[in-house]
């Protein structure tokens, strides 16, 4: 299903021709930040839809800590993507972590074992994807959302970071990219935000969803800032920041530069 | 008691035929009544197949677009100065008792049963009809104000269709009389379970209790919806660790997803460290906060109409949304809590008072608003 790329796709470099054009290119880590006033979940939905679209033929491994499968299924159905069908064809792997606990009382290193378990599940899913019909396809690992993983790990930032580092090795070894949703307002500026600064360091793209400075509006739901990490290319340093407004709809998201909407 | 058709309903329709501007209103009400009466009393199916239960405050149900979504977690941020969150809790629990819905109540008090004695009684249905339905002489009086209120005829129609829907509404949500306590015999049913969290060292027992409460509820489709009310979860006298509490909130949220229950948690957010307060707020599906209004604030009195009647403010931060990524944007998110006739709780939109000529331009009113409310936002 062809559709013109929107501003977010352009900012992420998702435009282009050829196989794998809809997917994030290899080795990309995308951090999506949001806050209580403005939810960034729609960015995840959009990226999943792009990854699963027929142009790109990619696979998605979805680690769901926040909602159940039926929630995403219903939302993505309205966006025009059938998750149940993709799940049957092994293009969409859903890791349901909604009720998973790592009880510290029962086992001594429960958190560690739990996260190792989770990583092995991801590895298995990657192997299945690489050996299936879409073996050449790009795999996107999506985590929704990281703050709940922190809660599950009883606040041990070290374990969560170790887990993230393991996932990031996948992005370099296999053709994977990592998309993480996190809540930026949880980390106050006063304390040293260890996890947040690590994430920003590791990410190639940081997408921040914020409310408008002027407050709530019915037709503009917030603003999106996309920061592309600076890279050196033949001694030339390039980085990019874009800012646009968005309105979330049932069947997609409308993005426009501030003031350009009539 | 909630299912008796009030005998005055027919009379009200017969004596005020002139108020009806179209003949469709009666048909609309009957079809709405039949579609709104779901197999489970006390819950209603809204658009998209989402099931709601009433919060016990009809105005709040209307603001939230139907009520509290079944399977969602409602959180109320308490105010340090006034216990208005108890008003919300009381109405929520009383509504559950009236509909005989299973209720689990947890609080840090030594004896949570005592709180049940303060639940309000539902307002008698017949009195309700007389209050809400517009009187016969009402319309003729307003004819004189034709120039200013030419649109009032539309409001009148709306009010009247509300009166028509009163029957179906009584099944869903009641108005509660805060001056009267609920009758003892309603509370003595086995459906109400209380637990005090003060004596526990961690939240595992409460988690167990919630889990068994949810598993005892009848399965999907049939049976009554359940209600869980937890008061002041992070109260300092309990001494739970921060991560323990947020882990409990997260697992309660996960348990609720697959069940036909609504849970309401009130918590004093100012006690938690700011990062944890934000974590709790993110976990909520519907997030409300209550604020006290200072008693004799002259600036606020000048700014808002009806200031003397206001008990407090209610701010709606987030509204639960099911199967949709579109956020719910309300026209106004701050409402005033008022006691109508000192007995029933109403929520009203804030109205800015007319600016006096002597106090300068209308821009001048923005200053005292932000200053007296400590910089927190009010949305008109």
């Amino acid at each position: 299903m062809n559709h013109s790329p929107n501003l977010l796709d352009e900012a992420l470099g998702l435009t282009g021709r050829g196989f794998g054009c809809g997917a994030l290119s290899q080795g990309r880590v995308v951090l999506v930040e949001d806050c209580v006033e403005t939810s960034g979940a729609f960015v995840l939905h959009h990226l999943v839809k792009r990854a699963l679209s027929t142009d790109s033929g990619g696979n998605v491994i979805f680690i769901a800590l926040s909602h159940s499968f039926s929630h995403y299924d219903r939302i993505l159905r309205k966006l025009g993507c059938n998750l149940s069908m993709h799940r049957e064809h092994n293009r969409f792997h859903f890791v349901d972590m909604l009720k998973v606990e790592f009880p510290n009382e029962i086992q001594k290193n429960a958190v560690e074992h739990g996260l190792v378990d989770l990583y092995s599940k991801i590895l298995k899913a990657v192997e299945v994807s690489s050996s299936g019909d879409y073996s050449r396809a790009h795999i996107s690992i999506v985590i929704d959302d990281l703050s709940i993983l922190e809660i599950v790990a009883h606040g041990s930032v070290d374990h969560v970071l170790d887990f993230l580092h393991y996932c990031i090795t996948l992005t370099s070894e296999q053709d994977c990219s990592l998309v993480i949703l996190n809540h930026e307002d949880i980390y106050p500026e006063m304390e040293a935000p260890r996890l947040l600064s690590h994430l920003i360091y590791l990410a190639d793209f940081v997408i921040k969803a914020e409310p408008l400075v002027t407050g709530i509006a019915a037709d503009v739901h917030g603003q999106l800032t996309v920061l592309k990490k600076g890279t050196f290319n033949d001694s030339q340093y390039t980085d990019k920041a874009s800012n646009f407004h968005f309105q979330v709809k049932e069947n997609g998201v409308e993005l426009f530069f501030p003031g350009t909407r009539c | 008691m909630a299912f008796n058709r009030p005998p005055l309903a027919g009379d009200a329709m017969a004596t005020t035929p002139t108020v009806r501007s179209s003949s469709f209103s009666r048909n609309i009400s009957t079809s709405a009544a039949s579609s709104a009466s779901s197999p489970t009393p006390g819950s209603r199916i809204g658009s998209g197949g989402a099931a709601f239960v009433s919060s016990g405050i009809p105005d709040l149900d209307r603001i939230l677009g139907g009520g509290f979504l079944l399977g969602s977690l409602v959180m109320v941020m308490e105010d340090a100065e006034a216990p208005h969150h108890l008003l919300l809790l009381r109405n929520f629990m009383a509504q559950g008792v009236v509909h005989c819905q299973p209720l689990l109540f947890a609080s840090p008090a030594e004896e949570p049963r005592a709180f049940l004695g303060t639940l309000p009684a539902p307002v008698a249905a017949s009195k309700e009809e007389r209050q809400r339905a517009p009187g016969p002489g009402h319309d003729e009086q307003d004819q004189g104000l034709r120039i200013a209120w030419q649109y009032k005829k539309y409001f009148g129609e709306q009010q009247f269709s509300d009166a028509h829907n009163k029957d179906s509404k009584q099944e869903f949500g009641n108005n509660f009389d805060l001056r009267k306590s609920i009758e003892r015999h309603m509370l003595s049913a086995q459906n109400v379970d209380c637990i005090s969290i003060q004596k526990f060292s961690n939240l595992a027992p409460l988690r167990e209790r919630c889990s068994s409460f949810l598993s005892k509820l009848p399965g999907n489709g049939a049976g009554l919806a359940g209600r869980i009310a937890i008061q002041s979860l992070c109260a300092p006298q309990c001494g739970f660790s921060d991560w323990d509490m947020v882990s409990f909130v997260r697992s309660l949220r996960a348990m609720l997803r697959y069940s036909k229950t609504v849970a309401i948690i009130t918590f004093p957010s100012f006690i938690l460290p700011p990062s944890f307060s934000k974590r709790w707020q993110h976990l909520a599906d519907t997030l409300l906060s209550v604020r006290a209004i200072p008693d004799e604030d002259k600036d606020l009195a000048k700014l808002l109409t009806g200031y003397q009647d206001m008990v407090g403010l209610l701010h709606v931060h987030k509204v639960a949304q099911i199967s949709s990524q579109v956020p719910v944007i309300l026209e106004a998110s701050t409402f005033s809590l008022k006691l109508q006739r000192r007995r029933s709780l109403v929520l009203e939109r804030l109205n800015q008072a007319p600016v006096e000529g002597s106090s300068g331009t209308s821009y001048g009113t923005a200053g005292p608003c932000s200053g007296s409310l400590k910089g927190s936002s009010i949305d008109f």
Side-chain angles (χ1 to χ4, degrees), chain A residues 34-37 42 45 66-68 74-75 78-79 96-101 147-148 150-152 154-155 183 185-188 216-218 221 248-250 252, chain B residues 48 202 207 243-244 246-248 250-251 253-255 257-258 273-276 278-279 281-283 285 287 317-318 321-327 329-330 333 379:
Chain A
D34 67 357
C35 48
V36 177
E37 298 85 25
F42 69 93
H45 304 149
S66 177
H67 298 282
S68 61
R74 280 185 281 225
I75 291 182
K78 290 184 213 173
L79 292 177
D96 191 347
M97 297 275 297
L98 195 63
K99 287 191 166 183
V100 170
E101 307 264 352
S147 59
I148 298 187
E150 271 189 271
I151 297 173
V152 173
H154 300 290
H183 303 303
D185 53 357
I186 284 177
Y187 308 96
I216 309 169
H221 293 154
V248 186
K249 294 195 170 131
E250 294 282 358
Chain B
N202 62 24
R207 194 183 303 208
W243 284 110
D244 196 17
V246 75
S247 175
F248 167 77
R250 176 240 168 190
S251 38
R253 183 173 172 267
M255 285 193 273
R257 279 284 179 272
Y258 299 109
S275 75
F276 281 96
K278 282 289 176 187
R279 282 187 197 272
Q281 292 175 39
H282 273 287
L283 284 171
D285 296 313
L287 183 64
H317 297 264
K318 259 204 282 189
Q321 181 77 298
I322 193 169
S323 325
S324 172
Q325 61 174 8
V326 182
I329 307 285
L330 300 172
S333 51
D379 282 308

Side-chain angles (χ1 to χ4, degrees), chain B residues 30-54:
Chain B
T30 48
S31 61
S34 57
S35 64
S37 60
S38 48
T40 46
S43 73
R44 173 158 77 187
I45 309 291
S47 60
F52 295 101
V53 286
S54 169

Side-chain angles (χ1 to χ4, degrees), chain B residues 264-287:
Chain B
I264 187 167
I265 301 182
T266 73
F267 67 106
S269 58
F270 45 89
I271 284 185
L272 292 169
S275 75
F276 281 96
S277 172
K278 282 289 176 187
R279 282 187 197 272
W280 288 51
Q281 292 175 39
H282 273 287
L283 284 171
D285 296 313
T286 302
L287 183 64

